[in-house]
Amino acid sequence: MSKIIRTNPNPILSAAVEYHGFVYTQGVVARNLDLDMEGQTKDVLEQIDALLEQHGTDNTRLLQAQIWLKDINDREILNKLWSAWLPEGGAPARACVQGILADPRMLVEIMLVTTK
């Protein structure tokens, strides 16, 4: 039976779960919710980089992304930063929707599936 690795688990979630060479991240949100959309997105992507590195992978191995925005009109800002962050030719399957996030100050939340 393959081992399940849980990163920073708490009673309701883990920051990431690794199983059979796949890494599933939590929905990552900015640490500083006073930042604007650009600042929050940059912070989320930095956190994702660190989380993937912790599991021995990176954004060149992305399979799927789920993105929630407080305001879908911020998609242009997100896409500019997202496109710059992605490796050339490495875009994952992706959904990007507007949603009500857990804290009204949250502007973006990103959840990924990647492989090692």
Side-chain angles (χ1 to χ4, degrees):
M1 186 167 297
S2 294
K3 182 178 181 183
I4 298 173
I5 300 168
R6 299 179 196 282
T7 303
N8 303 328
N10 69 41
I12 62 168
L13 62 87
S14 295
V17 175
E18 181 180 331
Y19 181 67
H20 273 293
F22 291 93
V23 179
Y24 305 84
T25 72
Q26 68 178 354
V28 179
V29 297
R31 293 167 284 206
N32 179 353
L33 299 179
D34 294 326
L35 296 172
D36 63 7
M37 180 61 184
E38 184 172 339
Q40 286 195 27
T41 302
K42 285 179 180 179
D43 182 54
V44 167
L45 295 175
E46 287 171 10
Q47 288 182 72
I48 288 170
D49 281 336
L51 196 52
L52 295 180
E53 183 178 340
Q54 205 174 344
H55 284 268
T57 191
D58 59 31
N59 68 348
T60 66
R61 308 285 295 162
L62 298 177
L63 300 175
Q64 182 183 47
Q66 296 177 25
I67 303 171
W68 296 269
L69 300 176
K70 178 178 182 176
D71 183 346
I72 199 68
N73 293 311
D74 286 336
R75 192 171 60 153
E76 187 175 323
I77 297 167
L78 167 82
N79 284 339
K80 179 181 145 221
L81 297 167
W82 178 259
S83 295
W85 178 75
L86 286 175
E88 187 174 335
R94 183 184 114 164
C96 181
V97 299
Q98 179 172 303
I100 298 171
L101 303 177
D103 183 311
R105 298 171 300 158
M106 291 175 181
L107 304 178
V108 59
E109 182 171 354
I110 300 175
M111 182 177 182
L112 300 175
V113 177
T114 188
T115 188
K116 293 182 78 166

